[in-house]
Amino acid sequence: MIQVLYFLEPVRCLIQNHLCQKEFCLACELGFLFHMLDLSRGDPCQGSNFLRAFRTIPEASALGLILADSDEASGKGNLARLIQRWNRFILTQLHQDMQELEVPQAYRGAGGSSFCSSGDSVIGQLFSCEMENCSLCRCGSETVRASSTLLFTLSYPEDKTGKNCDFAQVLKRSICLEQNTQAWCDNCEKYQPTIQTRNIRHLPDILVINCEVNSLKEADFWRMQAEVAFKMAIKKHGGEISKNKEFTLADWKELGNPEGMLMCPSIEELKNVWLPFSIRMKMTKNKGLDVCNWTDVDEMQWGPARAEEEHGVYVYDLMATVVHILDSRTGGSLVAHIKVGETYHQRKEGVTHQQWYLFNDFLIEPIDKHEAVQFDMNWKVPAILYYIKRNLNSKYNLNIKNPIEASVLLAEASLARKQRKTHTTFIPLMLNEMPQVGDLVGLDAEFVTLNEEEAELRSDGTKSTIKPSQMSVARITCVRGQGPNEGIPFIDDYISTQEQVVDYLTQYSGIKPGDLDAKISSKHLTTLKSTYLKLRFLIDIGVKFVGHGLQKDFRVINLMVPKDQVLDTVYLFHMPRKRMISLRFLAWYFLDLKIQGETHDSIEDARTALQLYRKYLELSKNGTEPESFHKVLKGLYEKGRKMDWKVPEPEGQTSPKNAAVFSSVLAL
């Protein structure tokens, strides 16, 4: 579903332009996630902290959208119902999140009030359908009230005769819903049988439909209508056609098909199809709505619908179908068929074309468009449909302006009530110190454990991990990498967490119980989102991060950093097919420093990584022969094996290399 939203170009752009001060904002997190997808160039990306924010929203839990591990593994959750609930939830939540217009200047960006009026949002503009709900009592009293909805749910007719009922008819019935129900009548002053009808005042730009195929009854209806449509197609195209026959242009012309309209290359593509690729909607003068299936033949006969938009006529094209793949043993899985448009292919590949793709977990592959609308109800059941107005992209400004400003790096208040200035461990950047492209920043992060690893021992004595431990970032330090204040931290944030910590890993992290609690902490405490924005700004500005084991750090923080912006000392001092070397051993061997005595300290580790990078530059540039640095590494590994990779404890022992620590950091 996130991929569906990402490939809706106006949604992708407008969401990325949004930024607010709410700690847990799904619109912000989705924008961060879309930004990472843009950077990934097709590679798996780290994403954002979207799930963390998702779990904090009470409605998500109330709707049953947060599954227990046991439910997920056993397939107890009905995925079709869950994804349709999630579809309604995410659109509603994004609409609410983006209604927040007044935000502090530090957070204000391109997603400001120019896009929306009071009570509206860009999500509302894209998805909202304005309606009139009329209630007519049998006493003759009529009540009319305005409302809006972000999506529609299909309402199926009760008729089981097997007559033809095309998709457009069912869609019109679902949009202009008419039902008899008990409702309060102010005139009668009691509940009375009323006729409730719904009239459309304004059609959405993106039409979202929940299919509600939740029982055999609805599944049989789809199956029956697909069979009727198949028989009609056979009849239309000249009676019985051989099962595997591939049709030529001459065959179709012989059957009466217009020249050039090679609609169905084979008979198989006519099977299990009830859903049209396009639908045409027309607003009538008496507040009615005409809906019909729209085909390529209609396009040829009537011409493009672009000019008709002025008269309330719109053509919607199918952009995505989300499907439940049935499996009685596991509960099945969800896949999406998405028509990826020209703008994406132009951005990524420099070509202009459209293509349907199947998104099935990690499998993403191009498909024929007919696969997106073929539903064999024995194993493939439609759940969600997305139709978009033709020429939608031309209505919206698709420029993305990074909403994260330099002010996020300036001084901010701590969440900790007991923090004093005397406890400050860093000096925020001044305006004249703002990083530039290529500047070095020493970085280190410390983590705590939220959930312990679950594992079992096999019969052969080996360990099998059932569920890996869940880590959460607890402290992030950034150190200046150049200038007169080189080596001085400008970020040293402890990350406040509302989740239960099962292990502070104090020996390795230096984090102690209470450090992350705003009531008793003496540290500079911030939200994860606040620190995330600082790191995102540094990444976007083009700095180069220097650290030890940064790949893991960025993975747990949920940040994707371009490879050319990462200088990881764990790889700089590494020989192929050899073990990775600890920061502590490298510092002792090259810098004559003994670090990480009792516990780790992220300021010390970040500074040390910077010094090691300087040492690496010195060693790799001074060598006149290409093998000179290789000899240095060979000596490092030989010494490591002799020492069993342990730094000597006695204070009197010195490093085998009297590597001088550069003076500016030593002075610090």
Side-chain angles (χ1 to χ4, degrees), residues 361-419:
D361 289 334
F362 293 103
L363 173 67
I364 301 172
E365 62 181 9
I367 57 171
D368 184 83
K369 69 175 186 176
H370 294 91
E371 190 175 326
V373 294
Q374 287 184 305
F375 303 111
D376 183 339
M377 304 303 285
N378 294 317
W379 64 274
K380 182 181 178 184
V381 180
I384 297 168
L385 313 173
Y386 272 66
Y387 281 90
I388 61 174
K389 266 185 188 175
R390 194 162 289 181
N391 305 310
L392 172 66
N393 291 354
S394 62
K395 289 182 59 177
Y396 290 88
N397 180 1
L398 301 183
N399 293 323
I400 298 175
K401 179 183 176 183
N402 192 339
I404 305 174
E405 300 176 354
S407 53
V408 298
L409 292 179
L410 302 180
E412 65 174 354
S414 171
L415 298 177
R417 299 173 187 174
K418 293 188 176 181
Q419 200 215 7

Side-chain angles (χ1 to χ4, degrees), residues 12 100 163 304 306 364 391 402 413 450 472 555:
R12 181 187 71 85
E100 303 291 334
K163 66 178 183 180
R306 191 179 309 166
I364 301 172
N391 305 310
N402 192 339
L450 299 181
S472 178
R555 185 172 64 248

Side-chain angles (χ1 to χ4, degrees), residues 265-518:
S266 78
I267 193 69
E268 290 300 314
E269 291 179 353
L270 293 170
K271 287 186 176 181
N272 301 312
V273 176
W274 181 54
L275 194 66
F277 282 107
S278 301
I279 51 179
R280 179 179 179 269
M281 291 189 176
K282 181 180 180 181
M283 304 277 292
T284 61
K285 292 181 179 179
N286 60 349
K287 299 182 181 179
L289 181 68
D290 291 337
V291 185
C292 65
N293 292 358
W294 189 254
T295 65
D296 291 341
V297 175
D298 297 321
E299 192 82 15
M300 286 189 67
Q301 290 178 349
W302 300 99
R306 191 179 309 166
E308 294 189 75
E309 289 190 11
E310 299 175 11
H311 308 290
V313 179
Y314 303 96
V315 171
Y316 288 81
D317 296 313
L318 186 66
M319 176 265 175
T321 59
V322 179
V323 178
H324 183 202
I325 305 300
L326 303 180
D327 187 329
S328 58
R329 298 168 301 165
T330 64
S333 60
L334 293 165
V335 303
H337 308 101
I338 303 175
K339 183 166 75 171
V340 178
E342 294 179 356
T343 48
Y344 177 85
H345 287 108
Q346 185 67 42
R347 279 190 300 118
K348 295 288 185 175
E349 301 165 9
V351 295
T352 304
H353 77 286
Q354 298 181 352
Q355 174 66 50
W356 280 91
Y357 289 89
L358 168 70
F359 287 78
N360 182 3
D361 289 334
F362 293 103
L363 173 67
I364 301 172
E365 62 181 9
I367 57 171
D368 184 83
K369 69 175 186 176
H370 294 91
E371 190 175 326
V373 294
Q374 287 184 305
F375 303 111
D376 183 339
M377 304 303 285
N378 294 317
W379 64 274
K380 182 181 178 184
V381 180
I384 297 168
L385 313 173
Y386 272 66
Y387 281 90
I388 61 174
K389 266 185 188 175
R390 194 162 289 181
N391 305 310
L392 172 66
N393 291 354
S394 62
K395 289 182 59 177
Y396 290 88
N397 180 1
L398 301 183
N399 293 323
I400 298 175
K401 179 183 176 183
N402 192 339
I404 305 174
E405 300 176 354
S407 53
V408 298
L409 292 179
L410 302 180
E412 65 174 354
S414 171
L415 298 177
R417 299 173 187 174
K418 293 188 176 181
Q419 200 215 7
R420 301 288 185 269
K421 288 186 178 180
T422 52
H423 295 148
T424 301
T425 55
F426 67 101
I427 301 174
L429 291 174
M430 305 298 288
L431 286 174
N432 60 356
E433 289 186 292
M434 283 298 159
Q436 305 298 319
V437 179
D439 281 357
L440 299 181
V441 171
L443 184 140
D444 190 66
E446 306 294 351
F447 306 95
V448 293
T449 302
L450 299 181
N451 291 310
E452 296 283 9
E453 177 185 270
E454 295 179 17
E456 62 182 6
L457 284 175
R458 296 193 184 97
S459 57
D460 60 0
T462 59
K463 186 176 79 167
S464 171
T465 300
I466 300 172
K467 181 182 176 182
S469 62
Q470 183 186 351
M471 309 291 287
S472 178
V473 62
R475 183 184 181 187
I476 292 177
T477 301
C478 288
V479 173
R480 294 167 173 86
Q482 55 277 308
N485 293 325
E486 182 177 332
I488 295 180
F490 62 93
I491 295 173
D492 189 25
D493 290 349
Y494 285 74
I495 312 301
S496 173
T497 180
Q498 298 173 5
E499 298 173 270
Q500 185 177 1
V501 178
V502 298
D503 191 347
Y504 284 90
L505 305 172
T506 304
Q507 181 182 352
Y508 308 103
S509 68
I511 308 294
K512 299 175 182 177
D515 283 351
L516 310 181
D517 188 338

Side-chain angles (χ1 to χ4, degrees), residues 513-531:
D515 283 351
L516 310 181
D517 188 338
K519 296 177 182 177
I520 59 176
S521 178
S522 62
K523 310 297 184 183
H524 182 78
L525 211 58
T526 68
T527 64
L528 177 60
K529 181 177 178 180
S530 173
T531 305

Side-chain angles (χ1 to χ4, degrees), residues 180-217:
N180 296 312
T181 185
Q182 291 280 337
W184 179 262
C185 176
D186 289 332
N187 187 46
C188 301
E189 295 186 342
K190 61 180 178 180
Y191 283 96
Q192 291 278 51
T194 60
I195 300 173
Q196 295 190 343
T197 56
R198 195 160 62 186
N199 297 319
I200 303 302
R201 295 169 56 186
H202 176 74
L203 288 168
D205 288 340
I206 301 173
L207 180 64
V208 183
I209 303 165
N210 278 353
C211 295
E212 287 291 327
V213 185
N214 294 326
S215 69
L216 285 175
K217 179 181 173 183

